[in-house]
Amino acid sequence: MTHARGRFVASAIVVLVLSTAPFAQTSTPGPPARGQRPAGPGRAGRAGLPPITPNMNQQQIQGYIDTWAVIQARTVLKLTDEQDANFIARLQRIQTIRRRQMQEHRRLMGELNALLVADPAGRPEDIDALVKALGDAKDAEAADLKKAYLDLDAVLTPWQRGRFRQFEDQVERMKIELLGKIKGGAGGDAAPTPGRSGRF
C-alpha cells in the first residue's frame, strides 16, 4: 500500500464515520423509560475508538467499525445503565460469531481454490468434502447468530429492537461504502452497493 493510498484510507474512515454520526444524534426519540439516563457524549465514548492508521487492512477496518458501532449503539438505543453491560457483551458476541465465520469461510475457500488450481480435473471426494464444510460452517453460523440475537433482544424493549435493526443496516451500508472508496482510491472500481443486507 503506498503512502498516498494509506492517507486516503485513513481519511475515508474519518469522513464516513463522521457522516454517519448524525444518524445517532438525530434518531427518533424513543418512549420514556423508567430510570433511563440520557446517553451523552461522555457515556457513549467511554470505550474510545482505536487509532486510525494509514495502513489499515480490511480486517482492521472491520474491527474499527465494529468498535465504533458498539460505542454508537449506546446512544442510538438510549440504553439504561441496567441494560448497558449486558447489551454490549451480547453485541460483541454477535460480532465475534461473524468474524469467526468469515475467517473459516476464507480458510475453506483458500483450500478449495488451491485444490482446483493444483488439480484442474478435480478430486471429487476432496471437492465434495470442502463444499460440505462450507455449507456446514454457514449453517453453524446461522444457528449461533439466531441464539445470539435472541439473547441480545432479551435485554431490549421492542422499540430498541427495531432501532437496532435500523442501526445494523446503517452500519453495513457504511462498511460497503468505505470499502468501495478504498478500492476506488487504489485505482480500482468502487464496489456496488447492494440492497438491504442487515449484516453487521
Side-chain angles (χ1 to χ4, degrees), residues 108-109 112 115-116 124-138:
L108 292 170
M109 284 302 304
L112 180 60
L115 174 64
L116 294 175
E125 298 82 1
D126 293 339
I127 292 173
D128 283 344
L130 286 170
V131 170
K132 181 178 185 303
L134 283 164
D136 290 346
K138 188 173 183 180

Side-chain angles (χ1 to χ4, degrees), residues 53-93:
T53 60
N55 297 316
M56 294 176 77
N57 58 33
Q58 184 172 347
Q59 290 73 31
Q60 290 168 329
I61 291 169
Q62 175 78 34
Y64 184 95
I65 297 177
D66 282 349
T67 301
W68 175 86
V70 169
I71 294 171
Q72 204 66 356
R74 288 177 166 135
T75 301
V76 171
L77 302 184
K78 306 181 187 299
L79 297 175
T80 66
D81 289 338
E82 291 75 16
Q83 291 175 310
D84 190 78
N86 283 330
F87 172 82
I88 296 305
R90 296 176 194 202
L91 174 54
Q92 290 173 333
R93 170 64 177 161

Side-chain angles (χ1 to χ4, degrees), residues 10 168 176:
E168 277 191 309
I176 293 168

Side-chain angles (χ1 to χ4, degrees), residues 114-172:
L115 174 64
L116 294 175
V117 169
D119 184 6
R123 298 201 295 271
E125 298 82 1
D126 293 339
I127 292 173
D128 283 344
L130 286 170
V131 170
K132 181 178 185 303
L134 283 164
D136 290 346
K138 188 173 183 180
D139 290 344
E141 182 207 18
D144 289 345
L145 281 177
K146 181 176 181 179
K147 182 180 185 304
Y149 270 100
L150 289 173
D151 289 344
L152 182 139
D153 284 344
V155 302
L156 300 177
T157 66
W159 179 85
Q160 289 171 324
R161 293 169 199 152
R163 290 293 288 124
F164 178 66
R165 268 56 177 194
Q166 284 184 324
F167 182 62
E168 277 191 309
D169 189 74
Q170 182 79 2
V171 172
E172 179 64 14

